[in-house]
Amino acid sequence: AQSVTQLGSHVSVSEGALVLLRCNYSSSVPPYLFWYVQYPNQGLQLLLKYTSAATLVKGINGFEAEFKKSETSFHLTKPSAHMSDAAEYFCAVSEGGSGNTGKLIFGQGTTLQVKP
Amino acid sequence: DADVTQTPRNRITKTGKRIMLECSQTKGHDRMYWYRQDPGLGLRLIYYSFDVKDINKGEISDGYSVSRQAQAKFSLSLESAIPNQTALYFCATSDWQTNTGELFFGEGSRLTVL
């Protein structure tokens, strides 16, 4: 069975600093992995996804994530934080990988605070 | 207009009341889902439906029921609401043809049970 663990429920960075949000997964099959962002009072929107192509995935708003099979990780990064990046971020794995059942399993979420 | 629309967006009710949350989508997707979000727990799957005649329980279906009235409509009911069902509820859709599991979310329905 698949599972996702996000390390750190709250991350605080200064504006302009590197953003690093950690995600580790467990999967018995090659996984499909996702990062979603939730701005206050809004639904979740897709930042980026890994579906077994390039291991370095670029998403919207300057975010990227690298799939590392040996470390079972899919950490999210952005070189320079902006105030507008303050939000909650969720890592998720598609149950069953490429043979997915259509269900996503979510991590607990990480709240990113950006200080001026 | 949003591709996935949830109503109501906010609802306050009392213990024991019946509540229905509705979801409609214009994306033409066959798969629809109801998730519940609680602080520190992420999103947990309540029910999902792969088509009108296919409805499945998720991780936390107890106390909930669903109805898939049409391909575009999927409603969630709480027959007798209790305070620990206070949460933010999300409807989502996906397209089996892309086969990635990517979900498209509504804006959420915040339910408070007093």
Side-chain angles (χ1 to χ4, degrees), chain A:
Chain A
Q2 280 83 358
S3 66
V4 173
T5 302
Q6 292 182 237
L7 302 176
S9 59
H10 287 85
V11 170
S12 181
V13 301
S14 298
E15 191 173 20
L18 172 71
V19 175
L20 171 60
L21 303 183
R22 300 178 187 272
C23 173
N24 287 91
Y25 70 90
S26 172
S27 178
S28 57
V29 298
Y32 286 176
L33 294 159
F34 305 80
W35 275 100
Y36 281 85
V37 60
Q38 182 183 26
Y39 298 105
N41 300 314
Q42 294 186 26
L44 282 72
Q45 66 180 88
L46 183 70
L47 268 180
L48 49 82
K49 60 184 177 185
Y50 167 77
T51 57
S52 74
T55 57
L56 182 62
V57 181
K58 294 187 183 298
I60 62 172
N61 300 336
F63 285 93
E64 63 182 35
E66 185 172 9
F67 172 70
K68 292 187 176 180
K69 182 179 178 180
S70 61
E71 299 178 7
T72 62
S73 69
F74 190 57
H75 301 331
L76 182 70
T77 60
K78 182 174 180 178
S80 177
H82 191 274
M83 296 297 291
S84 61
D85 294 327
E88 189 161 19
Y89 293 78
F90 293 93
C91 183
V93 62
S94 180
E95 185 182 87
S98 61
N100 76 82
T101 62
K103 294 187 285 183
L104 286 190
I105 299 164
F106 286 84
Q108 306 92 318
T110 298
T111 299
L112 176 65
Q113 178 187 25
V114 182
K115 298 178 291 185

Side-chain angles (χ1 to χ4, degrees), chain A residues 36 38 49 100-102 104, chain B residues 33 35 37 50 99 102-103:
Chain A
Y36 281 85
Q38 182 183 26
K49 60 184 177 185
N100 76 82
T101 62
L104 286 190
Chain B
Y33 309 78
Y35 279 87
Q37 183 183 8
F50 285 175
N99 199 35
E102 177 182 349
L103 295 178

Side-chain angles (χ1 to χ4, degrees), chain B residues 11-21 34-39 41 44 46-47 60-66 76-90 109-114:
Chain B
R11 181 73 183 269
I12 300 173
T13 191
K14 295 182 178 180
T15 297
K17 294 292 188 180
R18 184 178 188 274
I19 294 297
M20 178 181 287
L21 306 179
W34 277 104
Y35 279 87
R36 167 178 172 160
Q37 183 183 8
D38 297 278
L41 297 179
R44 294 178 292 167
I46 306 172
Y47 270 95
I60 54 164
S61 59
D62 287 349
Y64 301 94
S65 62
V66 291
L76 175 71
S77 293
L78 288 68
E79 297 300 327
S80 180
I82 56 176
N84 75 2
Q85 291 178 313
T86 293
L88 183 57
Y89 291 85
F90 285 104
S109 295
R110 185 169 296 280
L111 176 65
T112 302
V113 183
L114 302 177

Side-chain angles (χ1 to χ4, degrees), chain B residues 28 52 67 74 81 96:
Chain B
V52 174
S67 174
F74 192 38
W96 73 270

